[in-house]
Amino acid sequence: MKATVDADLFLFDLDGTIYLGDKPIEGAIDTLKKLTAMGKKVCFLTNNSSKDKREYVKKISSMGYPVDLWQIVTSTMAAVQFLHTRRPSKSVYPIGTPTFVQTLEEEGVPISEDADIVLLAFDTTLTYEKLWKANILLEKGREFIATHPDTVCPSDIGDMPDVGAMMALFECSCGRAPSIICGKPYSPMAEIIGHLFDIPKERICMIGDRLYTDILFGINNGYQSVLVLSGETTKEMLSASGIKPSFVFDSVVSLVKED
Ligand SMILES: [Mg+2]
């Protein structure tokens, strides 16, 4: 048994890469177990800032791969790390789920209605009032930061408008776009990886199904990258795109080769 990509840390996207909704992709769980048995570090990297790390631990573990908290990295963590290191003691007005707001509180990020920063996350509890309050702050010139750029989040019954779609809304209502985006493919997500793992970037491999987040993240940060065709991207989309991964596999199963 051998890994087909020569790396020590394997960063996996989740939806479209490990599972589709609540269903694991065929052979994916087995592949994760094999990589772990080979002594590879396996980590899951998600841009979804609506959920807590513990929810991912529960979901992946219930599929048959026992996972620890350290193996989950979210765009929320990248945002918190960015705020602590680059915007210490600045307050934020969060547009996010109660889980997101709770994480900010636990991590000691000051929250205020009249904040220095509008922090836009994937808010499945969004209200008109939150949009309005954020718009007022943005019109006053407060800094605008988003957790990630994805336009939609896939679901079993149809795509959910995600942070990228809300960014388009604010672009329309006040002519503002975020000055910083924290998740894949941007550098705050790589900074949190560098902070958590002492592994040279050429020994890191990013595996995912989305070109403009997962694969671009690998390319931007000097990692190896694997596009899997088990999710969003088709062969046609890949050939039409300027974003070229190091490897293209049908699914994560091809990451392990039997001798
Ligand atoms: Mg995905």
Side-chain angles (χ1 to χ4, degrees):
M1 215 163 52
K2 206 171 137 240
T4 47
V5 177
D6 187 24
D8 299 319
L9 172 62
F10 289 77
L11 305 173
F12 287 93
D13 168 57
L14 286 170
D15 224 304
T17 302
I18 298 301
Y19 50 68
L20 288 165
D22 286 328
K23 232 178 113 212
I25 285 164
E26 204 181 334
I29 297 297
D30 222 37
T31 302
L32 296 173
K33 286 181 182 168
K34 286 175 182 167
L35 287 170
T36 307
M38 282 177 216
K40 305 295 185 186
K41 276 206 157 64
V42 167
C43 176
F44 302 97
L45 212 53
T46 176
N47 269 357
N48 190 335
S49 52
S50 72
K51 293 194 171 92
D52 180 77
K53 290 198 285 187
R54 284 164 279 241
E55 294 177 57
Y56 289 108
V57 165
K58 226 166 110 186
K59 180 166 179 175
I60 302 164
S61 297
S62 76
M63 290 177 173
Y65 178 74
V67 59
D68 285 324
L69 267 179
W70 68 264
Q71 289 173 283
I72 310 288
V73 180
T74 66
S75 65
T76 306
M77 294 164 69
V80 166
Q81 171 84 0
F82 179 86
L83 290 167
H84 281 329
T85 54
R86 309 295 177 80
R87 303 290 186 273
S89 72
K90 293 283 185 199
S91 60
V92 305
Y93 178 71
I95 301 181
T97 58
T99 300
F100 178 77
V101 175
Q102 190 192 335
T103 304
L104 295 180
E105 284 168 348
E106 284 170 3
E107 296 291 339
V109 174
I111 292 172
S112 161
E113 292 271 308
D114 188 32
D116 304 304
I117 298 166
V118 171
L119 180 58
L120 175 62
F122 182 25
D123 190 358
T124 52
T125 60
L126 185 66
T127 61
Y128 190 83
E129 195 191 356
K130 288 193 220 177
L131 291 173
W132 189 8
K133 282 185 176 169
N135 205 70
I136 293 167
L137 293 173
L138 292 175
E139 280 182 335
K140 287 184 184 169
R142 306 294 161 83
E143 189 172 13
F144 188 14
I145 296 179
T147 54
H148 61 285
D150 302 55
T151 53
V152 292
C153 176
S155 95
D156 297 342
I157 48 170
D159 286 342
M160 303 167 78
D162 202 336
V163 168
M166 297 304 137
M167 280 160 43
L169 182 147
F170 286 115
E171 184 89 55
C172 180
S173 63
C174 64
R176 297 278 310 272
S179 53
I180 303 289
I181 304 178
C182 300
K184 298 174 283 188
Y186 297 102
S187 58
M189 197 65 149
E191 281 169 29
I192 187 88
I193 293 296
H195 177 75
L196 295 170
F197 302 98
D198 186 20
I199 294 177
K201 54 187 195 304
E202 56 287 352
R203 301 295 303 162
I204 299 176
C205 179
M206 175 71 216
I207 304 108
D209 71 313
R210 194 168 261 183
L211 288 165
Y212 71 90
T213 53
D214 303 320
I215 303 308
L216 194 56
F217 178 66
I219 294 168
N220 283 352
N221 296 292
Y223 307 152
Q224 303 182 69
S225 58
V226 172
L227 176 74
V228 286
L229 300 172
S230 50
E232 172 178 281
T233 307
T234 60
K235 281 186 177 140
E236 292 71 34
M237 286 161 77
L238 172 62
S239 47
S241 171
I243 301 167
K244 301 295 179 200
S246 330
F247 304 93
V248 182
F249 295 150
D250 285 338
S251 82
V252 294
V253 172
S254 306
L255 284 169
V256 175
K257 196 165 65 181
E258 306 292 334
D259 290 324

